[in-house]
Amino acid sequence: MRIFVTGATGFIGSALVPELIDAGHTVLGLTRSDAGASSLAAAGAEVHRGSLEDLESLKSGAAKSEAVIHLAFIHDFSKFKENSETDRRAIEALGSALTGSDRLLIVTSGTLLVAPGRLATEEDEPFATSASIPRIATDEAAAAVAQRGVRVSLVRLPQIHDQNKQGLITFLIDLAREKGVSAFVGDGKNRWAAAHVSDTARLYRLALEKGLPARYHAVGEEGVPMRDIAEVIGRRLKLPVVAKSPAEAAEHFGWLGGFAALDGPASSALTRERLGWRPVGPGLIADLERAHNLEI
Ligand SMILES: NC(=O)c1ccc[n+]([C@@H]2O[C@H](COP(=O)([O-])OP(=O)(O)OC[C@H]3O[C@@H](n4cnc5c(N)ncnc54)[C@H](OP(=O)(O)O)[C@@H]3O)[C@@H](O)[C@H]2O)c1
């Protein structure tokens, strides 16, 4: 199949492009830059120049393809609301190009905010709306496009890691360096789910090849306690590991304050059953133990 991949040059996209090409698919990768175009060409993908803000570029990429995998997102968390609304418009534009066909649109969102405080499953709708949690605009847009008859799958991601990047934990590492301590909130028993980037790329390929509209969780580990994450960061950076009270969290963690205390475990039992997907790791703590971004 010829697949239009937005975010093809990003962390997950860079693992997904070879996964698709090695399986015999053709990739049309979206990028804004010359550097992105060069890296896509070097990976054996075709290049589609455009951006999330240029909705015509999204529609024309989708129109040229037999399926779409949407990974692009503007990760400037100081404009989270605005960027989430850009994602909504992008998904609606991609969906409009697929209306009236049986071509699949695979959309990406997260597991962390699905059902805080309990194990989130693929069956769960988000517990809030985009009015209070901006990124839920992605889930809302996917549902709206599906309502219009487009075949839509939603892949929810936890913290995706390798030895170079580890989702939001990458920012926790930068913060620990800046503040001189590695912190967790309360007793640090709150959990974040995780998956290795290669397992994640394989899941997108399997979801694509399955071809059925569904919700998937790319979860390799259901919940890694934040205290364990803070401890490995502290050990690797030779920094003290400290507990912050919920009242201190906003001041210490800044924009990450809303996430640091969240208990967001997630299950992938249904995904494994539906796709025959078996994550093989390595696990989050194992990657952090030898992460290059924790070298001093
Ligand atoms: N990594 C994780 O742990 C994690 C966890 C949960 C959810 N997710 C979601 O998974 C998706 C992929 O994440 P990632 O970590 O691979 O992201 P990333 O490494 O930050 O890459 C972002 C990608 O988005 C593209 N992009 C950024 N702004 C754009 C714009 N204005 N127009 C068009 N493309 C734009 C970039 O392409 P160019 O610069 O080449 O244009 C790049 O390919 C995102 O939706 C992310 O929110 C990731």
Side-chain angles (χ1 to χ4, degrees):
M1 273 191 277
R2 189 176 200 221
I3 322 300
F4 180 43
V5 180
T6 75
T9 59
F11 176 54
I12 297 162
S14 299
L16 177 61
V17 168
E19 174 78 29
L20 293 173
I21 291 175
D22 289 351
H25 302 292
T26 301
V27 172
L28 179 64
L30 179 75
T31 186
R32 295 164 296 169
S33 71
D34 291 344
S38 303
S39 73
L40 285 172
E46 296 169 14
V47 176
H48 187 77
R49 296 298 288 257
S51 75
L52 290 173
E53 296 87 346
D54 175 0
L55 300 181
E56 289 308 316
S57 72
L58 301 179
K59 289 181 195 168
S60 66
K64 287 180 194 157
S65 307
E66 291 161 270
V68 177
I69 299 180
H70 175 50
L71 281 167
F73 192 82
I74 307 170
H75 285 130
D76 172 355
F77 291 96
S78 68
K79 295 182 184 156
F80 199 34
K81 177 86 186 156
E82 191 179 322
N83 297 338
S84 299
E85 289 305 317
T86 299
D87 199 48
R88 184 199 299 274
R89 288 190 293 275
I91 292 164
E92 287 178 348
L94 291 167
S96 73
L98 303 179
T99 308
S101 76
D102 62 358
R103 290 174 291 156
L104 188 67
L105 168 62
I106 302 183
V107 170
T108 305
S109 73
T111 58
L112 192 55
L113 295 164
V114 174
R118 66 170 174 82
L119 191 69
T121 78
E122 293 86 339
E123 308 277 83
D124 283 314
E125 300 291 341
F127 80 105
T129 70
S130 57
S132 57
I133 303 199
R135 185 68 203 256
I136 291 173
T138 300
D139 304 62
E140 291 171 355
V145 167
Q147 277 278 318
R148 294 201 280 277
V150 178
R151 290 154 65 85
V152 181
S153 284
L154 185 70
V155 176
R156 288 183 182 145
L157 301 180
Q159 307 309 306
I160 306 303
H161 55 86
D162 68 3
Q163 288 179 50
N164 297 310
K165 282 184 94 174
Q166 304 84 22
L168 293 176
I169 297 151
T170 311
F171 299 100
L172 287 180
I173 292 169
D174 294 344
L175 190 74
R177 287 186 195 276
E178 182 194 321
K179 301 259 177 174
V181 294
S182 175
F184 57 87
V185 182
D187 61 9
K189 285 188 178 155
N190 62 306
R191 298 150 295 169
W192 285 4
H196 192 266
V197 69
S198 59
D199 289 325
T200 307
R202 197 168 65 260
L203 185 146
Y204 277 96
R205 178 177 62 75
L206 293 172
L208 171 84
E209 291 172 350
K210 186 86 174 175
L212 296 175
R215 225 187 251 145
Y216 301 109
H217 281 186
V219 170
E221 293 177 281
E222 286 190 349
V224 183
M226 290 303 286
R227 185 175 187 139
D228 295 0
I229 294 170
E231 279 175 354
V232 66
I233 294 172
R235 192 163 61 246
R236 292 285 319 274
L237 295 180
K238 300 194 191 321
L239 294 174
V241 179
V242 300
K244 296 282 175 189
S245 69
E248 293 167 325
E251 196 275 322
H252 178 83
F253 290 99
W255 66 265
L256 271 167
F259 298 105
L262 261 180
D263 186 35
S267 162
S268 56
L270 289 171
T271 300
R272 292 174 197 228
E273 199 180 302
R274 286 171 182 157
L275 295 179
W277 178 67
R278 295 282 169 274
V280 291
L284 174 62
I285 297 296
D287 263 347
L288 289 172
E289 291 284 7
R290 55 209 172 143
H292 303 304
N293 53 333
L294 278 167
E295 283 162 9
I296 47 177

